[in-house]
Amino acid sequence: MRGYTVSVSPFTPTEQLVTSLRPAQRRLFERIVTEDGVVLQTYGQRPIRTERYSSHDGGYYRIDFEQTGAEEVPARRADLSWENGQEAPEKATVVAYSALPEVDQVALEFLIHGPNYSREGLPTQGMTATDVPVPYPQGTADSALVGAGTVWVEWDDRVYEVTISTEEGTITRRTFDYTATRVADSKEGFREYVVDRYLQTLENLSSEAQSVLDAAVEAGEDGTYEDCNEPSTGYERLKQRMENVPELPAPHTDHWYISYEGERYLLEIGGWVV
């Protein structure tokens, strides 16, 4: 079973296009704004997509980045486990995180917190990492953990069971050059910016495509136009028409801002499979 859908919603870009950032992303975004750009090195993927919008201090900003580099950094395979209330075995030695060499602190930071700005906070009930490559950009000569077998490390009132092998490998470290452009100073200004940048006027549609769009408009915000199993000619023609119109930035794929018969809408063309 397949379905093909067309839906329209009122034009409200400050609700639809402005991104709700996670806490870690918000910290990065605020750095980008206040520092007039940030060059970020991270072992993960980009923390914030390019051409994303967010608000700060009464203004609206477009966030963009350029990946300027990628390099392979020495790494070792690691296992880590922790659960709430965990303690080391009675006769085991517990090492304080602060007493570890810096190279091991970097590796543990990556294991527990992930790449820069990828997630926020510490585990609350438990966590497990198995055979994860962890970075040792300065090598392992100073390490107290690599090849030491199972080590119990106390950090932030948690005792972690950690094993880092001597198996050599690499992990990719990427460099992103982030910028933030202030595009508007108010909700009204942001609407005007979106109109200039994204709004497309739909005219001269085929009668078949127009009938589908009219049905979606009539269905209203809580409804859709839908074909089951096979798409109608009108759906296909509307889809083809919109393929020549730039979509909104990710994650709004298959979405467009349109002006149709004097009204503005968010148009979505999609489908489902079961």
Side-chain angles (χ1 to χ4, degrees):
M1 293 286 292
R2 293 176 178 271
Y4 303 85
T5 60
V6 177
S7 62
V8 295
S9 305
F11 176 76
T12 55
T14 54
E15 298 174 11
Q16 297 157 341
L17 204 58
V18 174
T19 300
S20 179
L21 298 174
R22 298 191 305 271
Q25 292 175 316
R26 171 61 58 176
R27 288 191 293 114
L28 174 58
F29 166 62
E30 291 176 354
R31 275 195 61 202
I32 296 167
V33 172
T34 58
E35 298 177 20
D36 196 23
V38 169
V39 175
L40 175 68
Q41 285 192 325
T42 179
Y43 295 102
Q45 298 297 323
R46 58 202 185 281
I48 304 176
R49 295 174 183 265
T50 199
E51 200 172 349
R52 296 292 287 271
Y53 294 91
S54 194
S55 58
H56 175 72
D57 196 23
Y60 292 83
Y61 292 82
R62 186 183 72 244
I63 311 165
D64 297 288
F65 75 82
E66 179 183 0
Q67 183 173 327
T68 57
E71 58 181 329
E72 295 302 307
V73 170
R76 296 295 184 269
R77 313 299 296 192
D79 298 331
L80 178 144
S81 65
W82 173 81
E83 61 182 21
N84 193 16
Q86 176 170 286
E87 296 181 359
E90 185 177 346
K91 295 184 179 180
T93 300
V94 178
V95 181
Y97 171 83
S98 59
L100 288 172
E102 183 179 357
V103 293
D104 290 328
Q105 291 181 355
V106 169
L108 280 177
E109 175 82 19
F110 177 85
L111 265 176
I112 295 169
H113 291 285
N116 288 351
Y117 296 103
S118 64
R119 58 179 183 252
E120 184 87 358
L122 292 166
T124 58
Q125 295 302 318
M127 73 169 292
T128 300
T130 303
D131 199 30
V132 175
V134 294
Y136 274 87
Q138 308 303 321
T140 61
D142 296 332
S143 173
L145 297 181
V146 173
T150 298
V151 179
W152 297 86
V153 179
E154 183 175 8
W155 187 21
D156 286 330
D157 298 322
R158 294 163 172 80
V159 178
Y160 299 92
E161 182 180 3
V162 182
T163 305
I164 302 182
S165 77
T166 57
E167 180 185 349
E168 296 182 2
T170 61
I171 188 171
T172 304
R173 181 169 62 192
R174 297 175 177 84
T175 302
F176 300 100
D177 188 355
Y178 272 98
T179 58
T181 303
R182 191 175 178 111
V183 298
D185 297 323
S186 64
K187 287 186 177 181
E188 293 75 15
F190 187 68
R191 286 174 61 91
E192 293 176 6
Y193 168 85
V194 170
V195 167
D196 290 341
R197 189 174 180 90
Y198 298 113
L199 190 70
Q200 302 287 332
T201 300
L202 287 191
E203 298 175 326
N204 302 318
L205 293 172
S206 68
S207 59
E208 296 90 347
Q210 187 171 347
S211 68
V212 168
L213 188 54
D214 286 343
V217 170
E218 187 174 329
E221 187 176 1
D222 297 325
T224 61
Y225 167 89
E226 184 173 33
D227 294 327
C228 289
N229 296 325
E230 296 295 334
S232 67
T233 300
Y235 176 93
E236 292 281 22
R237 292 193 174 179
L238 181 61
K239 179 73 171 175
Q240 290 169 3
R241 172 67 177 272
M242 300 313 297
E243 285 175 353
N244 298 319
V245 178
E247 298 173 335
L248 294 176
H252 304 285
T253 54
D254 294 325
H255 287 68
W256 298 264
Y257 280 132
I258 62 168
S259 175
Y260 178 64
E261 295 189 343
E263 298 292 336
R264 295 171 178 175
Y265 302 102
L266 173 68
L267 168 67
E268 179 182 3
I269 299 178
W272 52 265
V273 178
V274 295

